[in-house]
């Protein structure tokens, strides 16, 4: 019955799925596990298939089932298995509270789970950082759980620490602490043995620009282009970096390559026009700035008013 409920949900035959789940609960011997499984199924539906909605299944419905599972599990004889099942139920409830946006309650539950220690402790700390971010806490309050999680993982850090490091780097970057962010991005790449994507190099190059680490930014955007040469955005980013350090020929070359890949890429025309202005090629510059204007670029309009009117 439980297995059949899943494809019925996929087919939006929710009434039939609900009947199967009720039949499952009436037959299953381990009622605690049964309520946990039903809670999980409803929660998956709410998260992964929110539309069309089914009025009988809400996040409160799912929480009700997992709370019943916790109640039934607590009544079982104490054993390692009972403890593991109880922790599993609490973890699911914490995830549901996050979905409900009840961040205070989710944080409290994750902190309770931390008291038990175990290998899942870093994951709980990561979740606490996420919940605090949603709650609007300070940068220090977001980073502290990640620092604690990484400390628990020991030194040298294992590969699975990469997700914790990159999240901390993203938090630093969002807060304007760019050099700290670059350090974490670099450690992330190290933990993954350099097996990172072009997107990673593009993102790190942007952070490096903000940190005024221009040579590193150029190196990274060149690496992104090497890995994904037909992505116009990367060529535009290279143009934006090289013009900042006076590498006008390199900037112009990058803009022209971006335009060859996508003739409607607005930023490339504006940057190209500005670089040509710096080289004294006023007519070429005017034409390219006008092309950006024709494509709706207000920044290019300001350039035209400044230099040609």
């Amino acid at each position: 019955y439980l297995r059949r409920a899943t494809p019925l949900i996929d087919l939006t035959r929710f009434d039939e799925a609900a009947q199967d789940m009720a039949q499952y609960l009436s037959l299953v011997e381990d009622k605690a596990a049964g309520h946990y499984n039903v809670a999980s199924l409803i929660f998956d539906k709410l998260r992964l298939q929110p539309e069309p909605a089914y009025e009988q299944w809400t996040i409160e419905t799912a929480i009700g089932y997992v709370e019943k599972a916790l109640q039934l599990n607590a009544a079982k004889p104490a054993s390692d298995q009972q403890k593991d099942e109880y922790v599993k139920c609490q973890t699911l409830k914490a995830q549901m509270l996050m979905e409900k946006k009840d961040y205070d309650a989710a944080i409290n539950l994750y902190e309770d789970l931390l008291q038990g220690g175990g290998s899942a402790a870093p994951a709980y700390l990561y979740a606490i950082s996420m919940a605090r971010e949603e709650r609007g806490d300070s940068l220090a309050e977001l980073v502290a759980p990640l620092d604690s999680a990484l400390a628990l993982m020991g030194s040298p850090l294992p590969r699975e620490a990469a997700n914790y490091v990159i999240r901390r780097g993203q938090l630093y970057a969002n807060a304007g602490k760019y050099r700290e962010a670059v350090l974490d991005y670099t450690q992330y790449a190290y933990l993954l043995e350099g097996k990172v994507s072009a997107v990673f190099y593009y993102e790190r190059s942007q952070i490096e620009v903000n940190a005024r680490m221009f040579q590193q930014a150029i190196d990274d955007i060149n690496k992104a282009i090497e890995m994904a040469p037909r992505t116009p955005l990367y060529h535009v980013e290279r143009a934006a970096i090289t013009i900042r350090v006076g590498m006008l020929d390199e900037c112009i070359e990058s803009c022209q390559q971006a335009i060859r890949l996508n003739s409607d890429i607005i930023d490339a025309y504006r940057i190209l026009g500005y670089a040509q202005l710096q080289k004294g090629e006023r007519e070429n510059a005017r034409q390219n700035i006008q092309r950006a204007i024709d494509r709706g670029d207000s920044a290019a309009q300001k350039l035209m008013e400044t230099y040609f009117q």
Side-chain angles (χ1 to χ4, degrees):
Y1 285 106
L2 186 68
R3 287 178 182 274
R4 188 170 65 179
T6 301
L8 287 173
I9 292 171
D10 293 339
L11 294 168
T12 70
R13 292 161 60 179
F14 302 128
D15 286 333
E16 295 172 70
Q19 291 170 10
D20 272 0
M21 290 156 69
Q23 186 71 356
Y24 162 74
L25 277 179
S26 72
L27 295 172
V28 68
E29 292 184 5
D30 187 339
K31 299 298 183 186
H35 281 80
Y36 172 87
N37 289 333
V38 169
S40 296
L41 203 54
I42 294 173
F43 188 44
D44 285 345
K45 190 274 175 208
L46 295 171
R47 290 184 304 118
L48 306 176
Q49 191 182 342
E51 299 296 336
Y54 183 52
E55 291 183 0
Q56 295 184 42
W57 291 344
T58 64
I59 194 64
E60 287 78 12
T61 309
I63 290 173
Y65 277 107
V66 80
E67 286 179 341
K68 182 64 174 178
L70 283 165
Q71 178 186 342
L72 292 167
N73 189 274
K76 291 182 177 181
S79 66
D80 289 342
Q81 181 180 353
Q82 182 268 342
K83 180 182 177 182
D84 290 344
E85 291 175 357
Y86 193 79
V87 167
K88 186 170 70 170
C89 289
Q90 284 183 304
T91 303
L92 180 61
K93 183 180 177 182
Q95 293 168 350
M96 291 176 177
L97 291 168
M98 286 285 289
E99 186 74 14
K100 190 182 176 183
K101 304 186 188 306
D102 190 348
Y103 303 118
D104 290 342
I107 289 169
N108 289 338
L109 188 46
Y110 278 122
E111 288 176 343
D112 287 344
L113 285 163
L114 273 174
Q115 301 308 310
S119 60
Y124 300 147
L125 287 160
Y126 188 99
I128 289 171
S129 176
M130 296 287 289
R132 287 180 178 179
E133 183 178 20
E134 294 293 341
R135 194 171 66 177
D137 289 4
S138 69
L139 174 65
E141 291 170 312
L142 307 185
V143 168
L146 298 173
D147 289 343
S148 297
L150 291 168
L152 287 174
M153 293 182 186
S155 181
L157 288 172
R159 183 184 178 90
E160 54 265 29
N163 288 336
Y164 297 77
V165 170
I166 196 67
R167 169 164 168 76
R168 188 174 64 182
Q170 290 165 344
L171 291 171
Y172 279 138
N174 292 340
K177 292 185 173 291
Y178 300 116
R179 288 187 176 268
E180 292 90 336
V182 170
L183 289 174
D184 274 345
Y185 269 71
T186 301
Q187 186 176 32
Y188 171 80
Y190 174 78
L191 290 170
L192 295 184
E193 300 176 343
K195 296 175 182 176
V196 293
S197 67
V199 172
F200 167 84
Y201 288 109
Y202 166 71
E203 289 180 354
R204 189 169 67 176
S205 74
Q206 291 188 305
I207 297 169
E208 287 162 339
V209 167
N210 286 319
R212 304 190 65 79
M213 300 165 67
F214 295 115
Q215 186 56 58
Q216 293 93 321
I218 292 170
D219 291 343
D220 273 349
I221 199 61
N222 284 341
K223 185 66 175 177
I225 290 171
E226 178 185 328
M227 296 175 72
R230 299 195 61 78
T231 303
L233 174 63
Y234 298 161
H235 294 278
V236 173
E237 181 65 15
R238 184 176 187 272
I241 299 169
T242 51
I243 198 171
R244 292 187 65 162
V245 294
M247 298 170 64
L248 298 179
D249 291 337
E250 292 83 351
C251 172
I252 289 169
E253 177 189 351
S254 293
C255 289
Q256 290 171 338
Q257 179 61 18
I259 291 166
R260 282 193 288 270
L261 292 167
N262 179 0
S263 61
D264 288 323
I265 190 159
I266 296 172
D267 291 345
Y269 289 106
R270 183 184 67 253
I271 297 171
L272 175 58
Y274 187 71
Q276 290 169 329
L277 261 178
Q278 303 307 303
K279 292 195 69 174
E281 301 173 4
R282 288 184 59 82
E283 181 55 29
N284 288 336
R286 188 194 64 77
Q287 291 177 11
N288 283 307
I289 291 171
Q290 184 61 53
R291 290 183 179 112
I293 293 169
D294 293 343
R295 289 164 173 79
D297 188 354
S298 58
Q301 182 65 51
K302 292 179 182 178
L303 281 177
M304 184 68 79
E305 292 169 0
T306 300
Y307 291 99
F308 293 97
Q309 293 182 9

